[in-house]
Amino acid sequence: SRAKLVAAPLLRLSWDAPTTHLSGAYDPRVNRVLTFERRGLKAPVEKIDEHRLSPLKPPAGKAERTVLIALSGIWQWITPADDEALSRGFVGWLESQAFDRMIVKPHPHVAGGALERLLPPHERLESHESLEDLADRLTAGTVAGICCTALVTLKQLRPDLRCVDYGGGFYCDRG
């Protein structure tokens, strides 16, 4: 955080260490929190600006026993031990589900942390498109990840999908 204090003024930005929820929603300088889904949102009610998304029709050939795993960059903000524990828990959950097919979508900008190393054999979806941009083409019945915020908007766009955000409680408890 010391580097941020030095770098921020050089970039003509202000930066203060967080003292409340990490989203910044409770910061007095934040006057609006744009969201697609109110459930689970941690923000003052008067700041919430909700925009519902229009659901998309599922593509033909949806495979209910296929899981698409969306790798996130959460590992950058947690300790290596927590990343390892969350990843091992997620892999255990995956194995308990006995999916017929497993496809991994890498994060478009960062590596996948411990999870990428621990995953059982899988196929890869090499795409830099967001989950939201892929929504109308996803044939997997389940989309899952560790602290993957895109799952919220994806569920709004594709209510037919089973979206599993493993570790959401871990993240919320620290915010």
Side-chain angles (χ1 to χ4, degrees), residues 14-55:
S14 63
W15 187 84
D16 294 314
T19 57
T20 62
H21 192 270
L22 294 179
S23 71
Y26 292 92
D27 188 308
R29 295 173 293 181
V30 173
N31 58 16
R32 185 178 121 190
V33 176
L34 181 63
T35 185
F36 301 110
E37 176 59 58
R38 260 180 205 264
R39 287 179 292 170
L41 181 65
K42 293 185 184 291
V45 175
E46 66 277 5
K47 291 183 178 183
I48 297 173
D49 184 0
E50 184 178 10
H51 293 263
R52 301 299 292 191
L53 298 175
S54 299

Side-chain angles (χ1 to χ4, degrees), residues 4 72-79 171:
K4 292 176 186 174
S72 74
I74 189 65
W75 59 269
Q76 300 171 95
W77 297 285
I78 60 178
T79 66
Y171 178 70

Side-chain angles (χ1 to χ4, degrees), residues 50-73:
E50 184 178 10
H51 293 263
R52 301 299 292 191
L53 298 175
S54 299
L56 301 170
K57 183 178 168 187
K62 184 176 166 194
E64 292 298 334
R65 299 295 310 144
T66 295
V67 62
L68 176 70
I69 300 162
L71 296 179
S72 74

Side-chain angles (χ1 to χ4, degrees), residues 78-175:
I78 60 178
T79 66
D82 284 343
D83 181 34
E84 186 82 16
L86 278 171
S87 296
R88 286 190 184 283
F90 181 69
V91 168
W93 174 81
L94 281 171
E95 290 170 347
S96 76
Q97 300 299 299
F99 290 106
D100 294 338
R101 184 175 173 210
M102 191 179 302
I103 305 167
V104 172
K105 183 192 176 308
H107 189 282
H109 306 294
V110 296
L115 180 57
E116 198 161 17
R117 173 177 47 82
L118 294 170
L119 283 170
H122 56 270
E123 301 170 40
R124 288 178 69 87
L125 172 63
E126 296 294 345
S127 173
H128 282 67
E129 291 180 276
S130 69
L131 285 176
E132 296 90 346
D133 289 336
L134 293 168
D136 63 341
R137 293 173 273 151
L138 294 177
T139 57
T142 299
V143 182
I146 297 177
C147 299
C148 179
T149 55
L151 292 171
V152 175
T153 49
L154 182 61
K155 183 66 176 177
Q156 290 293 304
L157 289 168
R158 288 280 306 279
D160 62 292
L161 291 174
R162 178 180 177 216
C163 293
V164 179
D165 187 20
Y166 187 89
F170 172 88
Y171 178 70
C172 291
D173 291 346
R174 282 153 179 79

